[in-house]
Amino acid sequence: MLRLSDLHAHYGRAHILQGVSLHVRPGEVHVLLGRNGAGKSTTMKAIMGLVPPTSGGVEFLGQPIAGLEPFEVARRGLGYVPEERRVFAELTVAENLEVGRQKPREGLAPWSVERICGVFPSLAAMLKRPGGRMSGGEQQMLTIGRTLMGNPRLVLLDEPSEGLAPVIVDRMADAVRALRAEGMSILLSEQNWHFASRVGDAASIIEKGAIVWRGSMAELLADEAARGRYLTV
Amino acid sequence: MLGNLVVQALSGLASAASLFLVSAGLTVIFGVTRIVNFAHGSFYMLGAYLGWTLATNLPRGHVPFWGGVVLAAVIVGLVGVVVELLLLRRIYKAPELFQLLATFGVVLVVQDAALWIWGPQDLLGPRAPGLRGAVYILDSRFPLYDLVLIGIGIAVFLLLWLLFQRTRFGILVRAATADREMVGALGVNQRLLFTGVFFLGSALAGLAGALQVPRESVNLQMDLAIIAEAFVVVVVGGLGSLPGAALAALLLGQMQAFGILVFPQITLVLVFLVMAAVLVVRPYGLLGRAPAGHAASLAPVEPPIAPLSPRGRLVAGVALVLALLAPLVLADYALVVMTEICLAILFAATLHFIMGPGGMASFGHAAYFGIGAYAAALLVKHLAAPMELSLLAAPFAAGIAGLAFGWFCVRLSGVYAAMLTMAFAQIAWSTAFQWVDFTGGDNGILGVWPPAWAVPKPVQAWGTLILCLGGAFLLRRAIFAPFGAALRAQRDSVLRAEAIGIDTMRIRWFAFAIAAAFAGLAGALFAFTKGSVFPTYMAIPRSIDGLMMVLLGGVQTVTGPILGAIAYTGLHEQLMRVTELWRAVLGAIIIALVLFFPRGLAGLGARS
């Protein structure tokens, strides 16, 4: 569904992505694992066109999307939930959701404010609250909801568990599983192995800007050596 | 007495209303596009001229008059859209200062277009139908039209508020003001948003201009006069904040209305002092917020500056020898041009010192040039001081001004710091302009001639050549000295520089004062070569001239400002000789340069 082939990207002169190849299949939760600074967030940004790839290909639903502007990528059905959340602090929750709203997509049940409140019930009570006056977990739910309002076919979730209390992380895991149950494809970047292992179907491990391990979650669970080499600090 | 005060407060409200209309457009455009649009004042002027044309040509009556006002606003909005589509859309990713320069190119083009279409004379429009009279408030007269203007200001504020709170367009505008990259990543086509915002903002400026027609004459100075005030309003209110603009416009309107009663001599100064005071207490304006980290531009990493290569030194040496020999053979006119180029080189080198190694932007560098010129001229006029002493004193005067103004400016960063430098330049300008007894006001100070030995043109050329190139050389030395290394270190990273023990604010402050002192020397020399000084020496266009030279040459090279000064002064001179409409041609050239060489002339050499 989403295929990266030998993707390279730079920040100024720093060569961050040095040939990332990755394949996300329809309906799966694909976890991108790796240590801090390995290139997880940059991979996400390169897919969206926020960091223009310097070479290599990005294919989404069989169409090349590398080089498109972020809004065009989003309109093709790729939703992006940034690591830093980037809630619009002065806009209310309802207004934040409105910013994300896009036309319904063929073959998908359209997302609405009501439906998002169904997935994240705590948002329902705070629709008029400014985004800046919410807790970290609430902001994370809002950012995911905001992206869902664009009716994406695949969501890029960048470290959704970062900085959240364990209870909230559990709720995030429930939400990811709920989305998967509805048929949503997800590329999830994580450092939190515990969280990743609970929600992922497939996994890729990135190190120094390149994929060094790939396989199913069951294989990774069994491969203690790889986890030791690539994931422990 | 009470009636007087009430009427004064009301007339303050009337000025606030039109100031708000202009500033609202400017702040909304900045919020979304991050472009500091100098041309916004030109849109206001265009609105006034169009309003005048429509009011004088349409039949009399309520419907044609108000229809004409609305039509003028719509036309100006469309002009704004054309500018956005043809020019700004191509340079959204260029460095901020280049965008500013491009919009200043638009200012020049619009100025000459207006001169060409409407002529140089002030135009008086008809009064608004049915609103010629006045009302009596506590026995004091107040123009009826001004009352209507207040009403329009309030109505437009409410309409804008509804637009921003209740419509999808408004919500997107507010979201983009906070974090436009995120808005794009959510699938919003920012091009449409930018164009829409430009239409809205420009139309508001046009509306404000057209509404001025029944109040005052329409003239070619309106653009820069209003843009300076609108910048103050927008910065005091907080860039991108609509309620902030309204609040600041109210504040400024009242200050002007009551300032006239209390300090008639310094009303202009007062406005800019308020701005400086507000920015020191609230660096992002009354209702502004620190810009989100994500909005920071992805400016490319600049390579460190290096001394000239042996080949470059050879070329520079040969050029210097030729320049020293030139006064022996050149005719007087050529020598005058050469003198001007030398002065431009020193002026540009001082501005570059702040901008390149210092990493600060200045929209008001002419202040120090002008203060140097005025210091020299005042010494000559009031104390009959000899030229030699005046030339020695002028850099001190300018340096002290640099210390005083710089203390405020180095505390802010980015656009806010640049705006503050402009505010201080406007303070200097308005002092020279309004303090007629001391400075001669608009008539300037005449008879600032050098002593007999320095009258021949070759002597003047040699003198300025040696002093100016000497000054530029000293600045270059400073850039490569430990002081300059520290200055460049704080530009690249304030945090890291502080961590190794550099007092970054202090080093910026000293750099600012040093640059001001040398600019003052250039100004004093300029005064003696021209024999006179005028407030225009400190006006916005001269500050822009300096910016132009530095940016044309390229900010991150030491030779850049020198090349830029030569190219720009030469171009300016030639254009003024060839055509009446030199401003338009210059503006077009600036726009073309920004479009095709966004890294400057020196950057061109570096790439090849």
Side-chain angles (χ1 to χ4, degrees):
Chain A
M1 183 170 196
L2 174 70
R3 187 187 293 274
L4 315 186
S5 33
D6 196 26
L7 193 66
H8 288 255
H10 292 73
Y11 264 125
R13 287 187 186 171
H15 195 172
I16 306 289
L17 297 190
Q18 311 188 359
V20 173
S21 300
L22 190 80
H23 183 200
V24 183
R25 290 173 191 82
E28 79 173 2
V29 175
H30 192 116
V31 190
L32 182 60
L33 288 154
R35 296 193 181 98
N36 231 344
K40 298 187 296 293
S41 287
T42 310
T43 304
M44 301 287 201
K45 287 183 180 166
I47 296 169
M48 283 309 289
L50 291 167
V51 175
T54 32
S55 72
V58 184
E59 226 177 64
F60 181 57
L61 301 171
Q63 303 269 322
I65 57 165
L68 293 184
E69 285 196 54
F71 86 91
E72 293 169 311
V73 176
R75 285 190 180 183
R76 292 191 180 207
L78 260 171
Y80 170 59
V81 180
E83 183 184 358
E84 320 86 325
R85 301 184 192 126
R86 293 167 81 163
V87 162
F88 302 110
E90 304 203 1
L91 272 61
T92 63
V93 171
E95 287 171 336
N96 265 281
L97 293 174
E98 170 64 24
V99 175
R101 184 169 62 82
Q102 292 289 331
K103 282 190 211 119
R105 213 170 290 277
E106 217 187 290
L108 291 183
W111 286 90
S112 63
V113 176
E114 294 72 35
R115 198 173 152 207
I116 279 163
C117 292
V119 179
F120 301 113
S122 46
L123 290 183
M126 50 177 85
L127 285 174
K128 298 216 159 155
R129 188 184 296 183
R133 298 216 330 253
M134 303 168 83
S135 72
E138 290 160 354
Q139 285 193 343
Q140 188 63 59
M141 295 173 200
L142 174 57
T143 358
I144 295 174
R146 189 177 64 179
T147 300
L148 291 176
M149 287 294 284
N151 301 309
R153 292 188 191 277
L154 187 152
V155 173
L156 308 172
L157 265 178
D158 200 355
E159 297 213 27
S161 75
E162 198 195 14
L164 299 183
V167 189
I168 312 287
V169 174
D170 287 346
R171 222 180 299 163
M172 277 301 148
D174 293 343
V176 170
R177 277 194 290 254
L179 289 177
R180 183 183 178 281
E182 298 206 21
M184 180 76 76
S185 319
I186 294 173
L187 176 59
L188 174 88
S189 93
E190 257 313 326
Q191 285 194 66
N192 181 337
W193 164 245
H194 181 63
F195 176 68
S197 62
R198 281 160 65 204
V199 298
D201 302 307
S204 297
I205 300 179
I206 187 169
E207 189 169 86
K208 289 182 187 155
I211 301 294
V212 290
W213 190 97
R214 74 191 81 219
S216 72
M217 188 50 79
E219 284 166 344
L220 187 55
L221 277 165
D223 190 344
E224 212 158 306
R227 291 204 324 263
R229 189 168 342 143
Y230 300 120
L231 299 179
T232 48
V233 180
Chain B
M1 186 59 204
L2 184 64
N4 255 335
L5 289 181
V6 171
V7 162
Q8 209 61 30
L10 280 175
S11 81
L13 279 181
S15 349
S18 52
L19 207 49
F20 167 71
L21 293 184
V22 181
S23 312
L26 189 63
T27 207
V28 169
I29 288 176
F30 177 85
V32 174
T33 67
R34 300 281 142 185
I35 282 199
V36 177
N37 185 18
F38 245 107
H40 201 68
S42 307
F43 294 155
Y44 168 82
M45 182 173 79
L46 220 51
Y49 273 113
L50 285 169
W52 178 86
T53 299
L54 290 168
T56 44
N57 287 310
L58 291 176
R60 292 296 159 99
H62 285 285
V63 175
F65 178 83
W66 295 106
V69 168
V70 172
L71 186 59
V74 171
I75 295 174
V76 174
L78 293 175
V79 172
V81 168
V82 169
V83 170
E84 200 272 339
L85 288 179
L86 294 184
L87 172 62
L88 300 176
R89 170 160 295 187
R90 289 155 206 269
I91 57 169
Y92 280 128
K93 292 199 172 129
E96 264 174 7
L97 281 168
F98 278 91
Q99 299 170 344
L100 180 94
L101 219 57
T103 62
F104 195 76
V106 176
V107 170
L108 293 174
V109 171
V110 172
Q111 246 173 20
D112 267 2
L115 174 67
W116 189 60
I117 298 172
W118 287 283
Q121 68 282 10
D122 284 18
L123 301 177
L124 270 176
R127 297 291 198 82
L131 299 173
R132 270 156 244 257
V135 284
Y136 283 84
I137 297 165
L138 299 173
D139 293 336
S140 299
R141 263 177 68 90
F142 187 73
L144 200 54
Y145 184 74
D146 284 14
L147 216 52
V148 172
L149 204 57
I150 296 172
I152 293 175
I154 295 170
V156 170
F157 176 77
L158 291 177
L159 282 175
L160 284 175
W161 192 83
L162 281 177
L163 177 73
F164 286 133
Q165 299 297 325
R166 295 290 152 83
T167 67
R168 176 167 168 88
F169 174 78
I171 291 172
L172 291 180
V173 165
R174 281 160 55 218
T177 301
D179 186 348
R180 64 177 177 181
E181 191 185 66
M182 192 61 228
V183 174
L186 288 169
V188 176
N189 184 352
Q190 300 192 44
R191 289 200 193 88
L192 291 176
L193 196 58
F194 284 18
T195 309
V197 162
F198 242 89
F199 176 78
L200 177 67
S202 310
L204 283 171
L207 178 66
L211 286 172
Q212 285 304 301
V213 173
R215 288 182 95 205
E216 50 188 44
S217 69
V218 182
N219 61 60
L220 291 167
Q221 283 80 48
M222 293 173 87
D223 52 351
L224 288 184
I226 196 80
I227 196 69
E229 283 189 38
F231 275 167
V232 172
V233 168
V234 166
V235 167
V236 167
L239 283 168
S241 163
L242 192 70
L247 188 64
L250 280 176
L251 182 70
L252 248 66
Q254 294 307 322
M255 297 252 338
Q256 282 171 330
F258 287 100
I260 274 199
L261 295 181
V262 190
F263 312 107
Q265 292 295 317
I266 56 158
T267 48
L268 289 172
V269 176
L270 216 55
V271 167
F272 293 101
L273 278 179
V274 167
M275 169 172 169
V278 167
L279 286 189
V280 167
V281 183
R282 289 193 61 95
Y284 298 106
L286 292 174
L287 299 183
R289 273 166 196 268
H294 310 289
S297 66
L298 285 167
V301 182
E302 299 279 353
I305 50 170
L308 275 179
S309 60
R311 196 142 149 240
R313 280 168 197 255
L314 189 69
V315 173
V318 170
L320 185 63
V321 170
L322 285 179
L324 280 169
L325 294 176
L328 295 175
V329 290
L330 287 183
D332 275 6
Y333 172 72
L335 285 178
V336 169
V337 174
M338 185 178 141
T339 308
E340 294 214 342
I341 288 180
C342 289
L343 290 165
I345 287 177
L346 181 55
F347 183 53
T350 61
L351 180 57
H352 168 261
F353 192 70
I354 302 180
M355 290 173 62
M360 304 174 264
S362 173
F363 291 3
H365 200 55
Y368 312 101
F369 183 87
I371 287 170
Y374 265 91
L378 288 168
L379 279 172
V380 170
K381 191 185 163 208
H382 290 294
L383 299 174
M387 178 184 82
E388 295 81 350
L389 180 70
S390 305
L391 282 184
L392 213 60
F396 281 99
I400 289 168
L403 278 178
F405 296 167
W407 188 86
F408 294 95
C409 299
V410 300
R411 263 143 236 276
L412 303 182
S413 60
V415 184
Y416 282 89
M419 295 288 192
L420 193 57
T421 56
M422 195 189 76
F424 281 120
Q426 290 299 103
I427 290 178
W429 174 83
S430 28
T431 309
F433 189 79
Q434 282 193 327
W435 197 0
V436 179
D437 301 336
F438 189 58
T439 62
D442 204 16
N443 296 323
I445 300 171
L446 306 177
V448 190
W449 293 114
W453 66 267
V455 168
K457 291 279 183 272
V459 177
Q460 285 195 5
W462 270 316
T464 39
L465 184 73
I466 291 164
L467 285 173
C468 289
L469 294 194
F473 184 73
L474 283 177
L475 288 172
R476 181 197 169 278
R477 283 294 306 253
I479 292 174
F480 288 107
F483 173 81
L487 188 62
R488 287 182 277 144
Q490 65 80 31
R491 170 199 66 200
D492 290 343
S493 167
V494 171
L495 220 58
R496 276 172 246 168
E498 295 261 352
I500 56 167
I502 296 172
D503 186 343
T504 55
M505 209 178 267
R506 197 180 160 100
I507 214 144
R508 281 203 297 274
W509 188 30
F510 286 167
F512 198 92
I514 291 170
F518 279 101
L521 175 65
L525 286 166
F526 189 69
F528 282 108
T529 56
K530 293 285 169 194
S532 50
V533 294
F534 299 102
T536 52
Y537 287 16
M538 313 194 222
I540 294 173
R542 186 169 294 270
S543 291
I544 301 288
D545 282 348
L547 273 178
M548 213 86 88
M549 294 173 202
V550 172
L551 294 177
L552 281 185
V555 179
Q556 298 305 347
T557 63
V558 186
T559 38
I562 298 176
L563 297 180
I566 296 171
Y568 184 72
T569 315
L571 181 70
H572 206 274
E573 245 358 273
Q574 286 305 312
L575 282 180
M576 282 178 73
R577 277 195 335 163
V578 178
T579 167
E580 282 273 294
L581 298 176
W582 61 271
R583 280 186 206 87
V585 180
L586 187 64
I589 292 175
I590 292 169
I591 292 171
L593 279 174
V594 173
L595 280 178
F596 297 116
F597 306 111
R599 313 264 332 254
L601 289 180
L604 196 65
R607 227 177 323 175
S608 56

